[in-house]
Amino acid sequence: MADMNNTAVIDEIKPINKVTFKQRMISYKRKPLSLVMLLLVALAAVLSAAALVFIIVYVLVRGIPNLTPELFALTYNSDNVSCMPSIINTIVLTLLTLLIAVPFGIGAAIYLAEYAKKGNKLVKVIRTMAETLAGIPSIVYGLFGMLFFVYALNWGYSLLAGAFTLAIMVLPTIMRTTEEALLTVPDSYREGSYGLGAGKLRTIVRIILPSAMPGILAGVILAVGRIVGETAALIYTYGSATGYATGLLNSGRSLAVHMYVLTNEGLHTDQAWGTAVVLLVLVFGINTLSAFIAKKLGNKKG
Amino acid sequence: MDKFTIDNMNLYYGKFHALKDVTLHMPKNKITAFIGPSGCGKSTLLKSLNRMNDLVEGCKITGDIRLDGADIYGDIDINVLRKRVGMVFQKANPFPMSVYDNIAFGPRTHGIKKKSELDQIVEQSLRDAAIWDELKDRLKKSALGLSGGQQQRLCIARALAVKPEVLLMDEATSALDPISTGKIEELCLKLKDEYTIIMVTHNMQQALRISDNTAFFLLGEMVEYNSTDAVFSSPQDKRTEEYITGRFG
Ligand SMILES: Nc1ncnc2c1ncn2[C@@H]1O[C@H](COP(=O)(O)OP(=O)(O)OP(=O)(O)O)[C@@H](O)[C@H]1O
Ligand SMILES: [Mg+2]
């Protein structure tokens, strides 16, 4: 205990258990293959990182000079092509989609992991279905959303149609990640809780869900990424109206769709780059926020 | 008076016959020890007493098991049964929360909300489990950061906190040092006045030191059940004798 306060002393210690360059070279000489392996994986890591950094830097370089005040004007017109309505629309759309998808996804996962019997046929069917649905391209969801929500239910191109379509799209993701997170909670926690006379509900709410929370949130973050980045499914359901979607049945465009339209029209390529920077920042912000929430929730149980 | 009575009980894990026609009556306010080689069914029997086996898919039980004369597999509230029959598991299983919350989880489950009352229960339980001095400054720290032996005593404290009538202890001291083991044994002897204790142990001396009655199991069969003195000094069955003498070296 006394030593712990003496960090200055600890910093100056020369540990004997440090692997020196020379020691490494000795072992590589005996096993040259492991040096080759090291170089290969290091190369893979560097190249992957480089590709990412290149894209981000490229977007920033092209986009930042175009971040003019007009781009953030409160109202859109075809001169300023403001992305402000799209930012707000994206946030509202994301929240509404999560509001629909998260309770169903988590609920279904709780049923599969905690209530259904292990060998249950229905469980296998649901699981296979979820896996299949997770792999379907988003445009298929868009087409379905258009035929069902937009036309059959007559909601038109609307926030509601977009949110429901995206909710169905991200539901399998949330369900599967949540189920996986629940299954990694050790059975000994369940035994401990039941052994104290706690019922199923209390065990799930107090013990299992808190332990699985980081995994569940990882699924939600993944879902947010897909929602924010989605274009194909939204063009057919949410439409591309340029204003704020103030009502559930109003059409609007999300940031990604906005960018797609700008690029497609070819008249505002510079502003499209600026919008890309905004999208980048938005995704980054949402991820940081989610990680922060995950950490908060994780700390509470510790 | 018998606290727990088991009559003609059989247990199957799927097709595997894990307990064969066990009949065993365990008296109130006594310590009953289950001994026998690994895999003979001691934990399985213990878990049947608080219906922990309900969680195992494909586990089938026949026969009659009664607590204070009432059929525990009859129309009873399982959660109440598990409150009355507490359990310390073979592997320490603290919840991923603070030391305090671990202990308070049981009492909170059963409706105790008042902070002062919970504080008092937490302290008393930790004291009983011989770990208060080590943990009193770490009540808010995660229980997962404790050493294996500390976790085991924490689990004992957690079981005591709901004030059960029967305490099932599955090798509760196997991960503890001699001093903590001694303290837990002392605790068992003290708790005997109020509780009925049923324990599994691989430590023959421990069974001899603290248990009143001992049951010896082999391959799912209960070979011998008698007062601990009788089992150890004059075992009736050849297999019991071989087992305990083998253990004593
Ligand atoms: N959940 C289960 N499913 C199938 N078989 C099981 C299960 N639990 C235990 N068994 C089997 O039942 C038998 C008795 O197991 P049990 O855990 O009761 O042994 P034990 O006497 O407690 O052993 P140990 O001293 O090693 O703890 C073993 O053969 C074991 O493989
Ligand atoms: Mg066992």
Side-chain angles (χ1 to χ4, degrees), chain A residues 9-191:
Chain A
V9 176
I10 292 180
D11 284 343
E12 274 166 33
I13 288 176
K14 284 211 177 63
I16 56 165
N17 58 343
K18 212 174 136 235
V19 180
T20 60
F21 181 72
K22 207 167 155 200
Q23 282 171 356
R24 261 190 234 144
M25 278 306 129
I26 294 172
S27 47
Y28 285 142
K29 210 171 266 167
R30 285 191 53 235
K31 297 210 169 74
L33 254 185
S34 74
L35 181 62
V36 174
M37 189 66 194
L38 172 72
L39 291 177
L40 282 179
V41 291
L43 189 70
V46 168
L47 283 183
S48 313
L52 275 177
V53 169
F54 176 72
I55 291 176
I56 292 174
V57 169
Y58 193 79
V59 169
L60 291 180
V61 167
R62 291 291 304 263
I64 288 178
N66 294 306
L67 289 178
T68 51
E70 295 96 79
L71 201 61
F72 298 97
L74 283 180
T75 48
Y76 170 97
N77 59 46
S78 51
D79 288 330
N80 66 15
V81 290
S82 161
C83 64
M84 205 61 196
S86 314
I87 295 176
I88 305 299
N89 286 346
T90 306
I91 293 172
V92 172
L93 177 76
T94 306
L95 290 179
L96 188 62
T97 304
L98 291 180
L99 203 67
I100 301 165
V102 167
F104 278 103
I106 293 184
I110 290 178
Y111 174 78
L112 290 184
E114 303 294 329
Y115 284 90
K117 288 226 156 61
K118 292 250 158 60
N120 195 327
K121 285 260 157 48
L122 179 70
V123 172
K124 280 197 194 126
V125 172
I126 295 178
R127 214 168 270 153
T128 317
M129 255 162 43
E131 254 156 56
T132 315
L133 284 177
I136 290 180
S138 61
I139 188 137
V140 178
Y141 287 96
L143 212 59
F144 165 78
M146 181 171 78
L147 293 177
F148 187 69
F149 296 119
V150 176
Y151 292 132
L153 295 183
N154 208 12
W155 288 349
Y157 291 122
S158 61
L159 175 58
L160 208 56
F164 266 94
T165 306
L166 291 193
I168 296 173
M169 188 178 89
V170 297
L171 194 63
T173 310
I174 294 179
M175 211 169 102
R176 285 180 59 212
T177 44
T178 304
E179 193 194 351
E180 261 156 48
L182 293 175
L183 290 178
T184 56
V185 176
D187 272 338
S188 65
Y189 291 178
R190 295 180 180 88
E191 286 187 349

Side-chain angles (χ1 to χ4, degrees), chain A residues 196 202, chain B residues 94-95 97-110 112 117-127 129 131-132 135 139 141 143 146 150-163:
Chain A
L196 290 166
R202 185 168 164 82
Chain B
F95 299 133
M97 44 173 89
S98 72
V99 169
Y100 185 98
D101 288 336
N102 259 279
I103 311 284
F105 182 81
R108 282 179 179 143
T109 300
H110 300 290
I112 297 175
E117 203 174 341
L118 286 172
D119 285 350
Q120 194 265 326
I121 291 174
V122 169
E123 174 167 353
Q124 191 55 48
S125 311
L126 288 171
R127 276 192 195 286
I131 197 171
W132 170 253
L135 293 190
L139 294 180
K141 295 266 166 60
L146 303 180
Q150 287 171 331
Q151 291 189 358
Q152 189 60 279
R153 277 176 290 160
L154 178 79
C155 290
I156 295 175
R158 194 175 68 186
L160 293 175
V162 294
K163 304 205 165 57

Side-chain angles (χ1 to χ4, degrees), chain B residues 42-44 90 170-171 200 202:
Chain B
K42 306 176 299 290
S43 299
T44 299
Q90 185 161 358
D170 198 346
E171 292 181 49
V200 170
H202 279 293

Side-chain angles (χ1 to χ4, degrees), chain A residues 116-119 188-200 202-203 206-207 211 300-302, chain B residues 47 52 55 57 79 82-83 85 89 93-98 105 108-110 140 142 144 158-159 162:
Chain A
K117 288 226 156 61
K118 292 250 158 60
S188 65
Y189 291 178
R190 295 180 180 88
E191 286 187 349
S193 175
Y194 293 134
L196 290 166
K200 190 138 204 164
R202 185 168 164 82
T203 303
R206 293 280 155 194
I207 305 286
S211 322
K300 220 164 80 190
K301 72 194 165 79
Chain B
K47 283 198 224 161
M52 227 51 212
L55 304 182
E57 208 109 352
N79 296 331
R82 292 190 183 136
K83 182 202 175 302
V85 183
F89 293 85
N93 56 351
F95 299 133
M97 44 173 89
S98 72
F105 182 81
R108 282 179 179 143
T109 300
H110 300 290
K140 295 275 166 263
S142 167
L144 297 186
R158 194 175 68 186
V162 294

